[in-house]
Amino acid sequence: MSNITIKDIAQYAGVSKATVSRVLNHPQAVDDKTRAIVQKVIKEKNYRPSVTARNLSKRKSSTVGVILPKVDNVFFGEVLRGMIHVADKNELTVMCFNSDDSKKKDLQTLEIIEDHRVRGLIYVPAVPYEKKEERKALNKHLKALDAPVVIMDRDIGLPVDGVFFDDSKSMYNATKYVIDAGHTKIAIINGTQERVLARQRQEGFSRALEEAGITVPEEYIMLDDYSIQSAYRMTKNMMKLPVQPTVVITCNNDTTKGFLEAIYEGGKSIPKDYQNVSLDKLEMLNILGIPYSYIERDAYQMGKKAMEQLINRIAFPDKSYRHIIIESPFIKQSL
C-alpha cells in the first residue's frame, strides 16, 4: 500500500498515533501484546516511517552536515570522499553545502542546517570571524545546532574538536629546502592576509627567509584570493619584472594552475625557466612527467579523520576537545 501514514497504522491496529510512535521509537515502553499487534500491521502494510518524522520525534538524525568553502576544488572533493567513506560504514548520511568562501553564505548555510536537526557538523569556516560581532553571530548559530561540531582545515580558535595541517611548518620546511638548494630569488603566490591559512603560510615562508638573511623584492610577494584567475594575472605581471625569480611557491592547487597557465602562455616552462613548489600535488603534472616539488596534504585522510572525530564526539560528548595535526611532507622532484 502506498502513501500509508502513521494515522492509518493506528486505525488498523486500533490504537492511538502516540502508541504507534512509541512502538517505532521506544518499543520497550509498550506492553508486549499491543506492540505485537502494531508491529504485525506495520509489516502487513509494508509501512516505512518517514526519516524526517522519526528525527523530529527523536530529536536526532542520521544526517551529518558538512560545510566546505570550495566544493569544486579537487582538494575538498577528496576531503568529502574521505568523510563519506567513514559515514557509510557508520550508516550516516552526509549533507554537504558550499559556502563559496562567503561569510554571508556561510551564516545562511548554518541557519539551513539548524532546520535539519543534524547529528553533527563538520565545518570549514569561510572567514576567521575575528570581529566581536562576527564571532558572536557565529557562536549563536553553532549553539543553535545543539549538536557536536568539528572544525577542519582552518583553525579559528573555537573550543571544539578539530583536524588541521600545520601549514606554517610545512611552508617553512619547503622554503628552507629551496634556500638550501642555493636559491635566493624566491617568489610566492599566496592569499591575502586576513585569511587564517594565508597568514600561516606566509609566516613559514618569511621565517625561513629571515633565518637565512634573505630579502626578496616586494614584487615577489603576490597576494590575492587563491583563484586561478588572480594567480594568472599576478604571474603575468611578475614575468614583466627586470629580474626574474628562479623559484615560485604556489600556495594551493588553483594558484599553481594559474601560474602554469600564465608561464606556458608566455613561452616559459617548468623546470626550464622557473622551479615550482606547490602546496598540494597537481596530478596532471605527474601524468605529464613534469618535475616539480610539492607539499603533500592528504585531503582524503583529513576527511576520514574529521568524520571519525565527529562520530567519537557523538558517542562520548563529555570528553575533552582534541585537535589532530596531520603531517604534510615535502616531496622533492626538482630543485
Side-chain angles (χ1 to χ4, degrees), residues 64-113:
V64 170
V66 174
I67 303 178
L68 300 176
K70 292 287 182 183
V71 294
D72 58 345
N73 187 307
V74 66
F75 176 84
F76 288 110
E78 280 295 293
V79 165
L80 186 59
R81 200 167 66 86
M83 290 180 191
I84 292 172
H85 175 84
V86 177
D88 285 348
K89 287 186 173 183
N90 289 272
E91 298 183 345
L92 294 170
T93 301
V94 174
M95 181 170 54
C96 184
F97 296 85
N98 178 42
S99 70
D100 276 327
D101 263 333
S102 160
K103 180 180 71 175
K104 180 180 178 181
K105 195 170 179 180
D106 208 36
L107 295 176
Q108 288 174 342
T109 301
L110 285 168
E111 283 186 10
I112 293 169
I113 289 178

Side-chain angles (χ1 to χ4, degrees), residues 70 72-77 201 226-228 231 250-260 278-283 297 299:
K70 292 287 182 183
D72 58 345
N73 187 307
V74 66
F75 176 84
F76 288 110
R201 293 163 187 171
Y226 278 137
S227 69
I228 295 174
T250 47
C251 287
N252 76 348
N253 49 36
D254 279 345
T255 57
T256 305
K257 292 173 185 175
F259 163 71
L260 292 174
S278 171
L279 184 68
D280 297 333
K281 178 167 62 175
L282 208 60
E283 197 65 46
R297 297 190 303 164

Side-chain angles (χ1 to χ4, degrees), residues 101-152:
D101 263 333
S102 160
K103 180 180 71 175
K104 180 180 178 181
K105 195 170 179 180
D106 208 36
L107 295 176
Q108 288 174 342
T109 301
L110 285 168
E111 283 186 10
I112 293 169
I113 289 178
E114 286 171 33
D115 294 336
H116 284 82
R117 299 186 180 181
V118 295
R119 197 70 178 271
L121 173 67
I122 299 176
Y123 177 41
V124 182
V127 297
Y129 294 98
E130 290 175 324
K131 295 179 180 177
K132 185 177 179 180
E133 289 305 310
E134 291 178 343
R135 183 55 65 100
K136 184 178 178 181
L138 175 63
N139 287 337
K140 179 182 176 182
H141 284 297
L142 293 177
K143 185 177 180 181
L145 289 176
D146 191 26
V149 177
V150 172
I151 297 291
M152 193 185 69

Side-chain angles (χ1 to χ4, degrees), residues 89-313:
K89 287 186 173 183
N90 289 272
E91 298 183 345
L92 294 170
T93 301
V94 174
M95 181 170 54
C96 184
F97 296 85
N98 178 42
S99 70
D100 276 327
D101 263 333
S102 160
K103 180 180 71 175
K104 180 180 178 181
K105 195 170 179 180
D106 208 36
L107 295 176
Q108 288 174 342
T109 301
L110 285 168
E111 283 186 10
I112 293 169
I113 289 178
E114 286 171 33
D115 294 336
H116 284 82
R117 299 186 180 181
V118 295
R119 197 70 178 271
L121 173 67
I122 299 176
Y123 177 41
V124 182
V127 297
Y129 294 98
E130 290 175 324
K131 295 179 180 177
K132 185 177 179 180
E133 289 305 310
E134 291 178 343
R135 183 55 65 100
K136 184 178 178 181
L138 175 63
N139 287 337
K140 179 182 176 182
H141 284 297
L142 293 177
K143 185 177 180 181
L145 289 176
D146 191 26
V149 177
V150 172
I151 297 291
M152 193 185 69
D153 193 44
R154 304 172 182 180
D155 185 0
I156 62 171
L158 290 173
V160 297
D161 295 315
V163 183
F164 311 102
F165 295 107
D166 189 341
D167 281 18
S168 177
K169 177 182 175 182
S170 299
M171 192 58 66
Y172 170 83
N173 289 339
T175 306
K176 188 174 186 305
Y177 184 85
V178 167
I179 293 167
D180 290 344
H183 294 275
T184 57
K185 299 172 184 175
I186 308 166
I188 187 170
I189 302 177
N190 195 4
T192 49
Q193 295 299 284
E194 71 271 10
R195 297 167 180 260
V196 170
L197 293 183
R199 285 202 298 265
Q200 293 173 358
R201 293 163 187 171
Q202 199 67 27
E203 190 278 331
F205 172 77
S206 299
R207 182 157 51 91
L209 292 180
E210 185 178 346
E211 286 181 4
I214 296 172
T215 303
V216 297
E218 186 178 315
E219 294 81 7
Y220 284 10
I221 311 297
M222 296 169 277
L223 310 178
D224 210 306
D225 64 358
Y226 278 137
S227 69
I228 295 174
Q229 295 78 11
S230 64
Y232 171 87
R233 173 179 46 79
M234 292 188 295
T235 302
K236 282 292 189 180
N237 290 334
M238 179 200 77
M239 293 172 72
K240 298 174 185 175
L241 295 175
V243 179
Q244 291 289 289
T246 58
V247 178
V248 179
I249 298 175
T250 47
C251 287
N252 76 348
N253 49 36
D254 279 345
T255 57
T256 305
K257 292 173 185 175
F259 163 71
L260 292 174
E261 182 181 356
I263 67 167
Y264 276 87
E265 186 181 273
K268 305 289 186 180
S269 66
I270 61 169
K272 179 175 175 287
D273 299 289
Y274 303 100
Q275 299 282 350
N276 177 225
V277 173
S278 171
L279 184 68
D280 297 333
K281 178 167 62 175
L282 208 60
E283 197 65 46
M284 185 53 66
L285 293 181
N286 290 348
I287 291 171
L288 294 173
I290 298 174
Y292 73 113
S293 298
Y294 59 93
I295 297 166
E296 185 171 48
R297 297 190 303 164
D298 192 335
Y300 182 79
Q301 187 69 11
M302 171 174 264
K304 284 182 64 179
K305 291 286 187 187
M307 187 61 72
E308 288 167 354
Q309 201 169 21
L310 183 63
I311 290 168
N312 188 61
R313 175 57 58 189

